[in-house]
Amino acid sequence: MVAAMDFQYRGRMITRRALLNASLAACAAAAFPASATAAGRLKQSVSRWCYQDIPLDRLCAEAARIGLQGIDLLQPSEYAIPARYGLRCTMGYAADLMTIPNGLNRRENHAAIERAFRAGIPLAAKAGVPNVIAFSGNRRGMSDDEGAENTIIGLNRVKRIAEDSGVTICVELLNSRVDHPDYMADHTAWGVRVAKEVNSPRVKLLYDIYHMQIMEGDLIHTIRTSIPWIGHFHTGGVPGRHNLDDTQEVNWRAVAQAIADLSFQGYVAHEFVPQGDPLTALAQAVRIFTV
């Protein structure tokens, strides 16, 4: 794939691999034209890390052709790239020092997180990035009540930065059973409690459907009752976090329909590790969520 991109962007010799990739792309284009999502009610994007083997420029070009509106989870140095293809970065990293295990639930982290957001959120705003990601951190023996209180305090320190910049801080809900043992924000109720207490239009939840199916199920009811505090969605097949297809236990079309029926104005980002041809898998997910 690198060889194919070297030829396309830097004039190197055509290789057999490049020709194969071009043929695959042409087949995908015929099966999933760019107009496929023109009538859809949901704005869709794709998480960058799931497609690391595809250069970002090519991923943006393919995403635009398939009908996506953006690329999720980019670094500030990458924010401008999607705009070359009529897209935007839909979720950015504005505080790299805040990690999944080490986040807002510890007061000793708050000063550094605030400094990072004071620098990073205005950069996101300038680039037209609507959301930045945040994490609760791991429990490490801390009670959920204490962690929620600390997270509320930490978000209250930074919410004005987000409000002034017009950027939404999204605290991600992750599973602690399979992928992120000991992570604190592992249930929707905990996240909603925090978001309610912070009470800012610029502090929301990143509701990851894959993670919450593992932890609690009851997806459509939970989404309906929690939608005022949800700012962003991620997808991923259960089990295995692969393609959104018939091998998975989630009725993705019904979930998409439920989100759209709530007039959700944020983004649904596909965050699954594709099996088979990655762009065909992505196009299939886009088609399922075109409701």
Side-chain angles (χ1 to χ4, degrees), residues 188 207 218-230 233 254-255 257-259 261-262:
T188 308
Y207 186 94
D218 198 21
L219 295 172
I220 291 176
H221 172 74
T222 302
I223 289 168
R224 285 173 176 163
T225 57
S226 306
I227 197 65
W229 300 281
I230 295 174
F233 286 95
V255 171
Q257 187 76 48
I259 296 170
D261 287 348
L262 292 164

Side-chain angles (χ1 to χ4, degrees), residues 202-282:
R202 291 299 176 181
V203 174
K204 301 281 187 178
L205 302 176
L206 195 175
Y207 186 94
D208 191 306
I209 300 168
Y210 161 78
H211 289 293
M212 290 302 96
Q213 171 65 10
I214 290 172
M215 293 303 300
E216 57 192 28
D218 198 21
L219 295 172
I220 291 176
H221 172 74
T222 302
I223 289 168
R224 285 173 176 163
T225 57
S226 306
I227 197 65
W229 300 281
I230 295 174
H232 200 77
F233 286 95
H234 278 171
T235 74
V238 183
R241 199 174 196 157
H242 295 305
N243 303 15
L244 310 190
D245 58 25
D246 292 340
T247 68
Q248 305 298 313
E249 66 190 35
V250 175
N251 184 341
W252 289 104
R253 188 72 171 187
V255 171
Q257 187 76 48
I259 296 170
D261 287 348
L262 292 164
S263 299
F264 180 67
Q265 297 302 303
Y267 290 87
V268 176
H270 298 296
E271 193 187 30
F272 59 87
V273 179
Q275 292 184 313
D277 178 70
L279 296 175
T280 299
L282 179 58

Side-chain angles (χ1 to χ4, degrees), residues 87-278:
L87 309 177
R88 72 194 307 189
C89 171
T90 47
M91 177 73 68
Y93 290 109
D96 274 350
L97 55 87
M98 179 170 41
T99 62
I100 289 173
N102 190 37
L104 285 156
N105 65 348
R106 281 186 156 67
R107 297 192 192 195
E108 60 267 29
N109 296 338
H110 290 175
I113 290 171
E114 181 179 355
R115 286 194 298 271
F117 272 155
R118 285 197 180 280
I121 288 178
L123 287 176
K126 184 177 180 181
V129 178
N131 306 295
V132 295
I133 199 166
F135 303 105
S136 68
N138 287 358
R139 291 182 174 89
R140 299 191 186 99
M142 180 182 291
S143 72
D144 282 3
D145 285 343
E146 181 183 357
E149 179 183 349
N150 291 343
T151 301
I152 291 164
I153 291 169
L155 288 168
N156 277 333
R157 287 182 63 155
V158 298
K159 68 181 182 182
R160 183 63 183 271
I161 306 167
E163 291 165 358
D164 289 346
S165 299
V167 172
T168 301
I169 298 169
C170 292
V171 180
E172 186 164 19
L173 303 173
L174 302 171
N175 84 74
S176 59
R177 289 182 180 170
V178 178
D179 300 284
H180 305 289
D182 202 42
Y183 186 71
M184 182 166 280
D186 61 353
H187 281 82
T188 308
W190 188 95
V192 168
R193 171 186 173 185
V194 167
K196 278 185 176 180
E197 286 292 323
V198 175
N199 191 27
S200 169
R202 291 299 176 181
V203 174
K204 301 281 187 178
L205 302 176
L206 195 175
Y207 186 94
D208 191 306
I209 300 168
Y210 161 78
H211 289 293
M212 290 302 96
Q213 171 65 10
I214 290 172
M215 293 303 300
E216 57 192 28
D218 198 21
L219 295 172
I220 291 176
H221 172 74
T222 302
I223 289 168
R224 285 173 176 163
T225 57
S226 306
I227 197 65
W229 300 281
I230 295 174
H232 200 77
F233 286 95
H234 278 171
T235 74
V238 183
R241 199 174 196 157
H242 295 305
N243 303 15
L244 310 190
D245 58 25
D246 292 340
T247 68
Q248 305 298 313
E249 66 190 35
V250 175
N251 184 341
W252 289 104
R253 188 72 171 187
V255 171
Q257 187 76 48
I259 296 170
D261 287 348
L262 292 164
S263 299
F264 180 67
Q265 297 302 303
Y267 290 87
V268 176
H270 298 296
E271 193 187 30
F272 59 87
V273 179
Q275 292 184 313
D277 178 70

